[in-house]
Amino acid sequence: MATQHTRREHLGHVVFIAAAAAVGGFLFGYDSSVINGAVVGIQRHFQAGSVEIGFVVAIALLGSVVGAWAGGGLADRWGRTRSMQVAALLFAVSSIGQMLPFALWDLALWRVLAGFAIGMASVLGPAYIAEVAPPAYRGRLGSFQQLAIVLGIAASQLVDYVIATLAGGDVNNMLGPLQAWQWMLGACVVPAAVYLLFALTIPESPRYLVMSGRPEQAREVLAEVEPRYVDLDERVAEIQRVLRTERVPGLRDLRGPALGLLPIVWVGIALSVFQQLVGINVIFYYSSVLWQSVGINQSDSLLISFSSSIINLVGTFIAIALVDKLGRRPLLMIGSAGMAISLGTAAWAFSATRVIDGEVSLPDPQGAIALVAANLFVLFFALSWGVVVWVLLGEIFPNRIRAAALGVAASAQWFANWAITVSFPALSDWDLGLTYAAYAVFALLSFVFVARFVKETKGRSLEEMG
């Protein structure tokens, strides 16, 4: 029988490989939320209206839809690590382009390219980690991706705050040859370079090496990550057997009696969509604009955004600790209830927004209540829907349709994210309180949906799902 020592002998190396691959998740979170601090600067610099700025912020998400859809095929064609290298280069190039735009449409095109890289990173990291990690540690190593995304969001908000502070608290102030908001968008070059360095260092996935006819190289990689007692020849033979018998599922496999799809597919789509309809990404894309719209100055609004991202990180750790103890459904229902109450409270507070002598402000105590309610919303989301939805999407589908169903659910999530992101500026101009009330209604509906349609998966094998 294997000893604890032999089980752990390669763990440090595997952790490094998984963490290196998860840097793509860090870039995912960083690049998607760094726009938060730059929105006001972009709007002023290009004299853009609410609809235009919403379009520019959200258009990256349409690029993400395409990148996620294409990422799997590119990984099978070029390899996992080579695809990561391409994604890192796209991150770097798009960051420089966003830093030096000459028009609003030019900035939008660079954001589409950045979105494509984000979409690629959203599938490459989890796929690579799952294929390299030993089964005994796959779940914990797989959580690196979500943790890296949350860390990327927090880092972007910190960078935005530091740059704004260096520029005197105004993102349109010059900082050297460029305005502060331009440095915010260009700073992504640094983590992109780190991602490229790691992608050039880590080994290729053994599954891809076997798929491309290089079993000896696959054996060498397995020797680096598997415990000593594992029969490497048998592991290679097992991968070869699976590849010979595996059929890639297609959309036709998802057909069913419920409006053309299997009921479980609709459950996955609804989980993905509800995760976005509560408005969480409004916080990460527009919170600096949100707080400035109710009278808080730029520097303080960016500091609040950073504090919200730290709360998001804390909530993520709570979810990771509780998801296998409390179960998926209880965490989702706790999160839905907490989000509904906090969003409803924020809606009430924002309804008190006043304009006096051209200055927008929230009176006391509504200002403090709005701030606390918004951060409680982030906490309840992070400890529930932020993590649990991704866990469930990996569990609820039968083996034969898992890949195809995940693709459909993820695409629905990106589209819902786009819809919320593109609509918020115009909706907030119309009525900020009612906008948050709508998000509160979706949070309440998500509670009802989970109670009625979502089954607990804790402790069940994947084979039991089908």
Side-chain angles (χ1 to χ4, degrees):
M1 180 177 291
T3 66
Q4 189 72 6
H5 173 71
T6 59
R7 286 178 62 82
R8 292 178 177 269
E9 60 185 349
H10 296 310
L11 184 57
H13 182 58
V14 175
V15 168
F16 168 76
I17 292 173
V23 174
F26 181 93
L27 278 165
F28 175 173
Y30 187 100
D31 209 345
S32 62
S33 61
V34 73
I35 192 71
N36 182 21
V39 168
V40 172
I42 294 169
Q43 192 165 15
R44 290 177 180 171
H45 184 75
F46 292 110
Q47 298 296 303
S50 296
V51 173
E52 292 173 294
I53 203 69
F55 176 79
V56 170
V57 172
I59 196 170
L61 300 172
L62 297 182
S64 298
V65 174
V66 180
W69 193 270
L74 294 176
D76 284 341
R77 185 175 304 152
W78 298 339
R80 281 47 166 166
T81 56
R82 181 62 58 84
S83 297
M84 290 181 196
Q85 294 162 21
V86 171
L89 289 171
L90 292 178
F91 274 121
V93 171
S94 63
S95 297
I96 295 171
Q98 290 181 80
M99 182 173 65
L100 304 170
F102 53 82
L104 201 60
W105 66 264
D106 168 51
L107 176 60
L109 289 179
W110 289 117
R111 285 192 54 73
V112 171
L113 185 62
F116 187 88
I118 289 171
M120 287 185 67
S122 71
V123 298
L124 290 173
Y128 177 86
I129 293 171
E131 292 178 358
V132 172
Y137 303 107
R138 186 175 296 136
R140 279 164 285 181
L141 293 174
S143 69
F144 281 16
Q145 176 79 359
Q146 177 64 21
L147 183 59
I149 292 171
V150 175
L151 286 171
I153 292 171
S156 71
Q157 303 310 298
L158 179 59
V159 169
D160 284 354
Y161 173 69
V162 170
I163 290 175
T165 301
L166 292 174
D170 190 327
V171 296
N172 288 104
N173 285 346
M174 298 299 294
L175 196 59
L178 303 174
Q179 293 185 16
W181 66 267
Q182 293 176 276
W183 289 113
M184 291 176 179
L185 297 181
C188 189
V189 168
V190 176
V194 174
Y195 186 36
L196 178 61
L197 179 63
F198 280 139
L200 290 168
T201 304
I202 59 178
E204 183 53 86
S205 155
R207 180 186 175 90
Y208 174 75
L209 290 171
V210 171
M211 187 190 309
S212 57
R214 291 178 280 174
E216 285 305 313
Q217 292 183 37
R219 192 182 187 283
E220 292 173 5
V221 175
L222 289 169
E224 296 177 5
V225 299
E226 294 283 1
R228 188 177 304 164
Y229 62 85
V230 170
D231 186 332
L232 299 180
D233 292 329
E234 175 56 32
R235 283 287 290 116
V236 171
E238 179 186 11
I239 295 173
Q240 289 173 326
R241 285 195 299 271
V242 171
L243 289 174
R244 280 196 299 268
T245 59
E246 191 176 66
R247 182 179 71 83
V248 178
L251 295 180
R252 64 181 179 276
D253 297 293
L254 307 184
R255 293 173 184 165
L259 299 177
L261 293 175
L262 294 169
I264 194 63
V265 177
W266 282 116
V267 171
I269 291 173
L271 283 168
S272 289
V273 170
F274 271 124
Q275 189 196 52
Q276 298 302 318
L277 292 184
V278 296
I280 187 61
N281 280 315
V282 164
I283 297 292
F284 297 124
Y285 297 163
Y286 294 116
S287 61
S288 67
V289 178
L290 170 67
W291 297 118
Q292 288 174 61
S293 73
V294 293
I296 296 174
N297 65 48
Q298 276 192 20
S299 184
D300 288 345
S301 69
L302 290 171
L303 183 59
I304 292 171
S305 297
F306 174 62
S307 66
S308 296
S309 64
I310 295 300
I311 291 170
N312 185 35
L313 180 61
V314 171
T316 300
F317 279 117
I318 293 173
I320 292 172
L322 296 180
V323 67
D324 285 323
K325 295 179 180 178
L326 289 183
R328 285 58 160 156
R329 287 181 81 249
L331 269 184
L332 286 179
M333 294 174 75
I334 290 169
S336 293
M339 289 190 299
I341 294 170
S342 55
L343 284 168
T345 303
W348 168 79
F350 286 133
S351 69
T353 302
R354 298 289 183 265
V355 180
I356 302 174
D357 296 329
E359 294 292 327
V360 181
S361 65
L362 267 179
D364 290 328
Q366 282 91 341
I369 290 173
L371 180 58
V372 172
N375 281 324
L376 281 175
F377 162 57
V378 171
L379 178 64
F380 278 111
F381 176 88
L383 64 81
S384 59
W385 286 76
V387 170
V388 177
V389 166
W390 288 109
V391 173
L392 280 173
L393 290 179
E395 293 176 335
I396 62 174
F397 302 120
N399 285 331
R400 62 185 177 82
I401 66 166
R402 182 168 293 116
L406 264 169
V408 170
S411 295
Q413 186 175 124
W414 282 117
F415 275 115
N417 190 345
W418 172 80
I420 291 295
T421 303
V422 78
S423 64
F424 177 75
L427 288 174
S428 62
D429 282 352
W430 167 64
D431 193 307
L432 186 59
L434 287 180
T435 300
Y436 268 78
Y439 300 152
V441 170
F442 284 123
L444 186 61
L445 290 175
S446 72
F447 181 93
V448 176
F449 172 78
V450 172
R452 183 167 182 180
F453 296 107
V454 176
K455 296 180 180 179
E456 182 56 67
T457 58
K458 184 184 75 167
R460 300 174 64 191
S461 70
L462 294 181
E463 286 67 32
E464 291 181 73
M465 308 302 170

